[in-house]
Amino acid sequence: MSTSTEQQQAFLADFRSMSSFGATAGSGVDRQAATAADGQTRNWFRGLVEGHGFEVRYDQVGNQFTLVEFVPGAPYIAIGSHLDSQPLGGRFDGAYGVLAGAHAAMRLREAFALEGGIPLYNIVIINWFNEEGCRFKPSMMGSSVFTGKLPAEQVLATTDSQGVTVLEALESIGTIGNFNLEVAAYLEIHIEQGRSLEDDGLSIGLVESTWGANKYEFVVHGEQAHTGATEIADRSDALLGASALVVAAREIANQFTTDEHMVITSCGEFTVFPNSPVVVASRVNLLVDVRSTDPTVLAAADAELHRRVTDIEQWATVRFERGAEHIWAAKEYDAAGLLLAAASAEKLGLPYGTVRTRAGHDSTNMKDIVPTIMLFVPSADGISHNEREFTSDADMLAGVDLLTDLARRLVMGELVHP
Amino acid sequence: MSTSTEQQQAFLADFRSMSSFGATAGSGVDRQAATAADGQTRNWFRGLVEGHGFEVRYDQVGNQFTLVEFVPGAPYIAIGSHLDSQPLGGRFDGAYGVLAGAHAAMRLREAFALEGGIPLYNIVIINWFNEEGCRFKPSMMGSSVFTGKLPAEQVLATTDSQGVTVLEALESIGTIGNFNLEVAAYLEIHIEQGRSLEDDGLSIGLVESTWGANKYEFVVHGEQAHTGATEIADRSDALLGASALVVAAREIANQFTTDEHMVITSCGEFTVFPNSPVVVASRVNLLVDVRSTDPTVLAAADAELHRRVTDIEQWATVRFERGAEHIWAAKEYDAAGLLLAAASAEKLGLPYGTVRTRAGHDSTNMKDIVPTIMLFVPSADGISHNEREFTSDADMLAGVDLLTDLARRLVMGELVHP
């Protein structure tokens, strides 16, 4: 089974069409979950796969399933990723993996028709709802419900900043249903969102484990006051307290990173109230996360973060309230899956290496319930969640080849057996 | 001329009625400039003064003039303040002074009718447009146009965060016109927004000067990236740079404040883009101001602020862009006005002292074109720009008595002569 030029051109043409939905001036996309642009992309994808004779279904939280039946009644191997994006995000993050899954399935159907072979499994391509978590929190929402980590009712009642619920948003774009399906194994391909593959001159990354990540929502409480008239001693400035924590988080990353272990800290959301030019802030809502390759280092950095919070409460005369937290322990991916992926890459002659993922992916959820393989293709300069995100055509096509070969192995029963 | 119980009750009743417009759950008001709530308050005030036989006019930037004619054709003494408020602001800031002006004029008309006397001036009560500057920047917009510091065209084209212009907003609440008037002197009463009067057991503050204030708009430029995947060394985090400046500004206030001179620094507005949970910020817009009683200390603190900006650009790998700046030099109020106000307070037996104002007021603009007197009444605990802002009925009434006596002196020609 080899790839034809027509198959390659078909993938690239579809990728270009897909990138026109929610396109931004800076060559990126803005397709936040269940917005009109997300709905348009989902409907375009539905049209694409239905045109190839596949069936599309939705579950209760808007996960989109494309059913590719080789053997009536056989169980399913899933290939998934997500079509939603960050605001001003790149056109590769997530969308590449969903389209790659569809093309892998098309190629396999052609190959089985031409070359014969009796698969043990069918394929389902899953476009997970709201992987990005920007409009509705938390991220990886659809796969969290699918894997039993979040109740569907809670997700459907979650509101965006305008008070719109997930249920209302999904209904407004018409991509919700009551489908359900068990899957036997899971396969995902994604851009790396780091630069290790590029730095090492590799085409393929085999993800061996996730980083541990602790994410915290804080509310800093101060007291609204006049910026000009209120003496420093009388202030309880929520913005000062929140800013001090942003600075402290960076200091902790620097302090705890060693030659052996990296610590990454971030603050991605930071909202000031009432945010008026001459008013001392009464409240800041912010998210802080701490990640590390090593659980012991992560625990130490995390403890330091909370010690610094206490210091800042004193120094800035503010109060920190801890809201929701999300703790992901560092976890290994399926070892047999890793070996199988390496064998595929060897066979195709693709230079590959193992990597760890710092970013969360739907596979992070799926690997806890079924054998899961996660693949990376290079991402230029490691740029991600940015309109300038870029993966070359050659790297995208190599990824589709590998995904196809691995999907063939999986439906033939090389990783799991019915 | 003495104040009757009926006059006192009338003022307090009108103050309660006025406080119902834009009222918030926390006993404050939200009447940002040219919003529906601001429009309702302006129309209520218009109805109130027209009910007393006064005429109302608007100029081209929505300043509201209430004309109180004692002598046809005579020039005008102005009494002013503002009915707009901060979001979740207090019910006293600005509104007290406008209503006090109206009641002073009513009392004087009664007194002249009963006791005789031939005034040399008429009175105009001015409700300045957009003193607060939260919806539309900068603050003190109406008085800046009136005093020739800002062109009307620029103000009318200024947009809020939704892209609505001042002209559109003023037209939508119907409080714009083409009236114009020269005034001979200006009188304003306001709550202190500090606690020096309360601490010293005084009823009245005579403002002798403003503080110097330097206000800067900064845009911090970073590079949008994935919070999880992007290594610390590859980040250009606009939020980190902006946070470091907020912390530095507080350190500067602490460093430059001595027993002789106070330095106050603030950041009142801080907006993060794109502000998504898993995205390193590409941009933060923030306002920073530095104020001091002493011009030399202010200059030193200001220089240190800009030195720290350069340090932060290096440390956080970000770029600071300096936008608009507003520099107010410390300035004295009219000395003869100060003496006249002291004489009035003496006569009424009100305990008074001189104060400096850290906050900007419309009188800060007016004192540059006409003799100006600025009076303060106490503000409990110095709380201001906050729903819990509070001034007692007794303190409000003492202020109206003083304002009335001073207005009488001014229209009789004790400060300026036609």
Side-chain angles (χ1 to χ4, degrees):
Chain A
M1 181 184 138
S2 68
T3 311
S4 70
T5 310
E6 288 72 25
Q7 286 171 329
Q8 293 185 334
Q9 293 308 319
F11 175 81
L12 295 174
D14 285 343
F15 189 81
R16 282 191 292 272
S17 299
M18 179 171 68
S19 303
S20 69
F21 296 95
T24 61
S27 302
V29 293
D30 185 344
R31 303 196 293 234
Q32 297 180 62
T35 56
D38 187 29
Q40 286 159 6
T41 320
R42 297 176 140 231
N43 286 324
W44 171 85
F45 185 74
R46 179 187 189 130
L48 176 80
V49 294
E50 286 180 346
H52 287 269
F54 305 152
E55 287 189 17
V56 172
R57 298 283 182 276
Y58 291 96
D59 74 5
Q60 59 180 336
V61 293
N63 292 316
Q64 184 184 38
F65 297 81
T66 298
L67 302 171
V68 178
E69 203 177 64
F70 301 125
V71 180
Y76 281 82
I77 299 291
I79 307 177
S81 200
H82 60 95
L83 293 178
D84 73 314
S85 85
Q86 291 289 326
L88 301 182
R91 58 196 195 275
F92 301 88
D93 181 352
Y96 165 66
V98 176
L99 189 65
H103 277 262
M106 294 171 201
R107 292 184 189 182
L108 286 186
R109 197 179 48 178
E110 279 183 49
F112 290 134
L114 282 172
E115 301 159 21
I118 305 173
L120 304 179
Y121 291 92
N122 294 313
I123 284 181
V124 57
I125 300 133
I126 309 178
N127 166 24
W128 299 108
F129 173 65
N130 190 25
E131 194 271 349
E132 295 289 4
C134 37
R135 179 178 177 196
F136 299 104
K137 280 186 277 280
S139 57
M140 303 187 284
M141 200 173 239
S143 59
S144 292
V145 173
F146 187 84
T147 55
K149 297 181 179 198
L150 276 181
E153 302 69 37
Q154 179 188 323
V155 159
L156 292 170
T158 299
T159 51
D160 69 7
S161 64
Q162 308 299 307
V164 178
T165 65
V166 165
L167 177 62
E168 290 163 346
L170 281 170
E171 284 177 344
S172 79
I173 59 167
T175 65
I176 186 166
N178 56 13
F179 182 70
N180 206 358
L181 183 73
E182 284 202 3
V183 302
Y186 181 72
L187 192 51
E188 180 166 356
I189 192 163
H190 201 279
I191 58 165
E192 184 187 13
Q193 304 178 289
R195 53 177 192 187
S196 79
L197 295 178
E198 190 179 53
D199 286 354
D200 297 343
L202 302 175
S203 302
I204 296 292
L206 312 179
V207 182
E208 56 176 347
S209 69
T210 58
W211 284 39
N214 299 355
K215 300 189 179 190
Y216 299 103
E217 296 183 27
F218 288 107
V219 185
V220 188
H221 295 280
E223 184 68 42
Q224 187 168 326
H226 190 297
T227 53
T230 314
E231 294 188 13
I232 294 290
D234 291 340
R235 293 184 185 208
S236 167
D237 183 346
L239 175 56
L240 180 70
S243 295
L245 186 61
V246 171
V247 172
R250 170 60 65 92
E251 289 170 350
I252 288 167
N254 293 339
Q255 179 186 345
F256 285 85
T257 294
T258 62
D259 287 347
E260 290 81 42
H261 299 293
M262 195 183 284
V263 171
I264 287 184
T265 57
S266 304
C267 171
E269 201 170 45
F270 188 105
T271 310
V272 180
F273 303 92
N275 209 27
S276 179
V278 288
V279 173
V280 173
S282 57
R283 179 160 62 90
V284 175
N285 289 18
L286 78 162
L287 302 182
V288 176
D289 58 61
V290 190
R291 304 173 199 228
S292 178
T293 42
D294 183 272
T296 311
V297 175
L298 178 60
D302 188 85
E304 177 64 9
L305 182 79
H306 290 99
R307 205 191 59 69
R308 294 288 292 266
V309 164
T310 308
D311 285 358
I312 293 167
E313 284 183 317
Q314 289 277 327
W315 178 71
T317 328
V318 295
R319 183 171 64 81
F320 277 76
E321 178 192 339
R322 272 252 299 265
E325 59 182 56
H326 301 280
I327 307 292
W328 283 281
K331 277 212 179 159
E332 310 293 315
Y333 277 81
D334 187 72
L338 201 62
L339 290 174
L340 198 65
S344 271
E346 286 283 352
K347 182 185 128 193
L348 298 175
L350 298 171
Y352 67 95
T354 56
V355 291
R356 287 161 172 263
T357 177
R358 291 187 281 261
H361 294 291
D362 295 304
S363 73
T364 316
N365 282 329
M366 290 300 286
K367 75 174 169 18
D368 296 338
I369 65 162
V370 290
T372 290
I373 302 174
M374 179 89 202
L375 307 170
F376 280 168
V377 291
S379 180
D381 295 325
I383 291 168
S384 163
H385 286 187
N386 184 306
E387 294 171 304
R388 296 193 295 107
E389 188 178 86
F390 181 71
T391 295
S392 72
D393 287 355
D395 284 334
M396 284 205 288
L397 291 171
V400 180
D401 288 352
L402 180 65
L403 188 73
T404 306
D405 190 69
L406 260 175
R408 189 186 55 75
R409 290 169 186 259
L410 264 62
V411 299
M412 296 308 286
E414 287 192 37
L415 184 64
V416 287
H417 306 273
Chain B
M1 183 184 137
S2 68
T3 312
S4 70
T5 309
E6 288 70 26
Q7 286 171 329
Q8 293 186 333
Q9 292 308 317
F11 175 82
L12 295 174
D14 285 342
F15 188 80
R16 282 190 293 272
S17 299
M18 179 172 68
S19 302
S20 70
F21 296 95
T24 61
S27 302
V29 294
D30 185 344
R31 302 196 294 233
Q32 297 179 62
T35 58
D38 187 29
Q40 286 159 9
T41 319
R42 298 177 140 230
N43 285 324
W44 170 84
F45 185 74
R46 178 187 188 130
L48 177 80
V49 294
E50 286 181 345
H52 286 270
F54 306 152
E55 287 189 19
V56 172
R57 297 285 181 274
Y58 291 97
D59 74 5
Q60 59 180 337
V61 293
N63 293 315
Q64 184 184 38
F65 298 80
T66 298
L67 302 171
V68 179
E69 203 176 64
F70 301 126
V71 180
Y76 281 83
I77 299 292
I79 308 177
S81 200
H82 59 95
L83 293 177
D84 73 314
S85 85
Q86 291 289 324
L88 301 182
R91 58 196 194 275
F92 301 88
D93 180 350
Y96 165 67
V98 176
L99 189 65
H103 276 263
M106 293 172 202
R107 290 183 191 182
L108 286 187
R109 196 178 49 177
E110 278 183 50
F112 289 134
L114 281 171
E115 302 160 20
I118 303 172
L120 304 180
Y121 292 92
N122 294 313
I123 285 181
V124 56
I125 301 133
I126 309 178
N127 166 26
W128 298 108
F129 174 65
N130 189 26
E131 194 271 349
E132 295 288 5
C134 36
R135 180 179 177 194
F136 299 103
K137 282 186 273 282
S139 57
M140 304 188 284
M141 199 173 240
S143 59
S144 292
V145 173
F146 187 84
T147 56
K149 298 181 178 197
L150 277 181
E153 302 68 38
Q154 178 188 324
V155 159
L156 292 170
T158 299
T159 52
D160 68 8
S161 64
Q162 307 299 306
V164 178
T165 64
V166 165
L167 178 62
E168 290 164 346
L170 281 170
E171 285 178 339
S172 79
I173 59 168
T175 64
I176 186 165
N178 55 12
F179 182 70
N180 206 359
L181 185 71
E182 284 202 3
V183 303
Y186 182 71
L187 191 52
E188 180 166 354
I189 192 163
H190 202 280
I191 59 165
E192 184 188 12
Q193 304 178 287
R195 52 177 192 188
S196 79
L197 295 178
E198 189 179 54
D199 286 354
D200 296 343
L202 302 175
S203 302
I204 297 292
L206 311 180
V207 182
E208 56 176 347
S209 70
T210 58
W211 283 40
N214 298 356
K215 300 189 178 188
Y216 300 103
E217 296 183 27
F218 288 108
V219 185
V220 188
H221 295 280
E223 184 67 43
Q224 186 168 327
H226 189 296
T227 52
T230 313
E231 293 187 14
I232 294 290
D234 291 341
R235 293 185 184 207
S236 168
D237 183 346
L239 175 56
L240 180 69
S243 294
L245 186 61
V246 171
V247 171
R250 170 60 65 91
E251 289 169 350
I252 288 168
N254 292 339
Q255 179 186 346
F256 286 84
T257 293
T258 62
D259 287 348
E260 290 81 44
H261 299 293
M262 196 183 283
V263 170
I264 287 184
T265 58
S266 303
C267 171
E269 201 170 45
F270 188 106
T271 308
V272 181
F273 303 91
N275 209 25
S276 178
V278 288
V279 173
V280 174
S282 57
R283 179 160 62 91
V284 175
N285 289 18
L286 78 162
L287 302 182
V288 175
D289 57 61
V290 191
R291 303 173 199 228
S292 177
T293 42
D294 182 90
T296 312
V297 174
L298 178 60
D302 188 84
E304 176 65 9
L305 182 79
H306 291 100
R307 205 189 59 70
R308 293 290 291 265
V309 163
T310 308
D311 285 358
I312 293 166
E313 284 183 317
Q314 288 279 327
W315 177 71
T317 329
V318 295
R319 182 171 63 82
F320 277 76
E321 177 192 340
R322 271 251 303 264
E325 58 182 56
H326 301 280
I327 307 291
W328 282 280
K331 277 212 181 160
E332 309 293 315
Y333 277 81
D334 187 72
L338 202 64
L339 290 174
L340 198 66
S344 270
E346 287 282 352
K347 181 186 130 193
L348 297 176
L350 298 171
Y352 68 95
T354 56
V355 291
R356 286 162 172 262
T357 177
R358 289 188 282 259
H361 294 289
D362 295 303
S363 72
T364 315
N365 281 328
M366 290 300 286
K367 75 175 169 19
D368 296 338
I369 65 162
V370 291
T372 290
I373 302 173
M374 178 89 202
L375 308 170
F376 280 168
V377 291
S379 181
D381 294 325
I383 292 169
S384 164
H385 285 188
N386 184 307
E387 294 171 304
R388 296 194 295 107
E389 187 179 85
F390 181 72
T391 295
S392 71
D393 287 355
D395 283 334
M396 285 205 288
L397 292 172
V400 180
D401 288 352
L402 179 65
L403 187 73
T404 306
D405 190 69
L406 260 174
R408 189 185 56 75
R409 290 170 186 258
L410 263 62
V411 298
M412 296 307 288
E414 288 192 35
L415 184 63
V416 286
H417 306 273

